[in-house]
Amino acid sequence: MLAVLCIIQVQAQQVQIIVQGSKTSFRGLSIKDKSIWVSGSGGTVGRSVDGGNSWQWQTIKGYEKTEFRDIEALDEQTAVVMGIASPAYILKTSDGGQNWTKVYENRDTAMFLDAMTFKNAREGMVIGDPINNKIFVAQTKDGGNSWQPTNQLSLPKAQPGEAFFAASGSNIIWSALGYCIVSGGTASRFFTRNKAIKLPTTQGRQMTGANGIAAQGKMLLVAGGDYNNRNKPDSAFVYSHDLGKTWRLPLVMPAGYRSAVCFTGGKTAITCGITGIDISNDGGVHWKKISEEGFNTCAYNMVDNTVYFAGNNGTVGKLQL
């Protein structure tokens, strides 16, 4: 990895590129206190404990061809990383990434894991693409040490062509509603326990629909769009201010396809995609593009009031708020 000090000045915000210079595609990003973790292609995992100034990089031995599309930090030393395709893997470290233990393996040829989230340090969920129209869900109750398929969420059957995008590790979250999930493809829906609501976002084709979701209080934000028409802003984003009962399109859209979104306090939120970054100060009603720099995922760290980003070409960035 090559660390650089490139700063992109856009209006009042500065996006600083802190890592760049490899062929790795990063789609996993998680922050716990001072530990920042990223994961991606080629079995790659990175960790920083000083705000991204320095990094420890590794290719996990035996998983050099695995796409690690999501990572979840449970504390500053403990993280769980998810490998997507058959065989699908989940690995865990308890020593800052020095050693990794395989805690889940699935060799079903139809298996494709998409994202995971944790309710707390012990309880979490992982979702995968539907198999025989049944959405795959597995849970852990012991901090990721073991995983079991579950019907706990009582999700309805997937519609034809409906699936989940492993674009940003953020289409399942824990919120005031419990676990929330968003889908994409020919159908794009918002799932909570026993319930599925059709979203007004772009959908109907294989690479359309929701990619990521964020929650704060009664506010829910869903990033998505058309991956094959990335500069098209029409119906690329939807929001709810009543815990998902009703969904609306922003009055001013982000500038195209977006794969992840995160709240940064109050009604302020950041969304990112491979064509840029946008900010909203009113809970997703109006958006303003602040950077042309592209990323796959984002996460807010309240410790230093900074949004971190991870993307293609081994790129990691940060935005000091």
Side-chain angles (χ1 to χ4, degrees):
M1 292 292 173
L2 172 66
V4 298
L5 295 176
C6 173
I7 295 179
I8 305 164
Q9 177 72 50
V10 187
Q11 300 170 15
Q13 280 80 22
Q14 291 180 334
V15 178
Q16 181 182 0
I17 306 302
I18 54 179
V19 176
Q20 197 174 52
S22 77
K23 295 181 180 180
T24 307
S25 172
F26 292 129
R27 295 179 183 271
L29 171 64
S30 186
I31 300 170
K32 189 68 174 180
D33 300 324
K34 294 183 179 180
S35 281
I36 306 163
W37 299 76
V38 297
S39 66
S41 58
T44 305
V45 172
R47 176 175 178 256
S48 174
V49 295
D50 59 5
N53 293 318
S54 62
W55 291 82
Q56 300 167 333
W57 297 102
Q58 64 178 285
T59 300
I60 301 179
K61 187 176 180 180
Y63 300 90
E64 292 84 358
K65 295 183 179 181
T66 300
E67 291 266 354
F68 287 130
R69 295 283 184 94
D70 198 6
I71 191 166
E72 295 292 329
L74 304 184
D75 60 40
E76 289 195 330
Q77 294 292 320
T78 307
V80 180
V81 67
M82 181 199 79
I84 54 171
S86 178
Y89 298 111
I90 300 177
L91 312 179
K92 180 179 179 179
T93 181
S94 300
D95 56 11
Q98 296 181 52
N99 297 282
W100 293 88
T101 300
K102 181 173 65 177
V103 293
Y104 180 78
E105 178 179 354
N106 193 314
R107 292 186 171 273
D108 188 322
T109 56
M111 179 56 58
F112 193 101
L113 298 180
D114 296 284
M116 58 183 174
T117 194
F118 276 77
K119 172 183 177 180
N120 50 48
R122 295 193 61 79
E123 299 174 83
M125 292 273 187
V126 63
I127 60 168
D129 282 351
I131 299 176
N132 296 324
N133 296 324
K134 183 179 180 181
I135 298 169
F136 179 83
V137 182
Q139 67 178 340
T140 180
K141 295 182 178 180
D142 57 10
N145 292 324
S146 62
W147 296 80
Q148 296 81 32
T150 179
N151 293 317
Q152 181 182 331
L153 301 183
S154 301
L155 300 179
K157 287 186 176 182
Q159 296 183 2
E162 182 181 27
F164 303 95
F165 295 117
S168 59
S170 64
N171 51 18
I172 179 172
I173 60 169
W174 174 260
S175 75
L177 285 170
Y179 290 102
C180 296
I181 303 169
V182 288
S183 64
T186 56
S188 185
R189 295 190 288 174
F190 167 73
F191 298 88
T192 56
R193 182 191 295 270
N194 301 318
K195 188 182 298 184
I197 299 173
K198 184 178 179 180
L199 294 170
T201 187
T202 300
Q203 56 193 283
R205 295 178 297 280
Q206 184 179 10
M207 300 302 292
T208 59
N211 281 248
I213 181 172
Q216 183 163 283
K218 293 185 176 181
M219 296 182 291
L220 297 168
L221 306 179
V222 173
D226 186 347
Y227 181 82
N228 289 329
N229 195 353
R230 300 167 199 172
N231 293 313
K232 182 180 180 181
D234 298 352
S235 303
F237 205 97
V238 296
Y239 73 91
S240 172
H241 286 177
D242 57 8
L243 286 175
K245 294 178 182 177
T246 58
W247 292 89
R248 294 181 172 86
L249 300 175
L251 296 179
V252 178
M253 281 278 181
Y257 161 86
R258 297 293 180 257
S259 51
V261 59
C262 63
F263 279 100
T264 63
K267 293 185 177 181
T268 302
I270 296 287
T271 187
C272 69
I274 54 179
T275 61
I277 301 169
D278 308 83
I279 189 169
S280 172
N281 293 310
D282 56 9
V285 182
H286 298 83
W287 292 89
K288 179 186 291 186
K289 192 171 188 179
I290 59 172
S291 176
E292 299 287 339
E293 189 70 30
F295 294 96
N296 294 318
T297 191
C298 56
Y300 174 64
N301 188 3
M302 63 184 302
V303 172
D304 57 8
N305 194 32
T306 299
V307 179
Y308 290 85
F309 304 89
N312 299 330
N313 301 314
T315 306
V316 180
K318 70 178 183 178
L319 173 65
Q320 182 72 53
L321 298 177

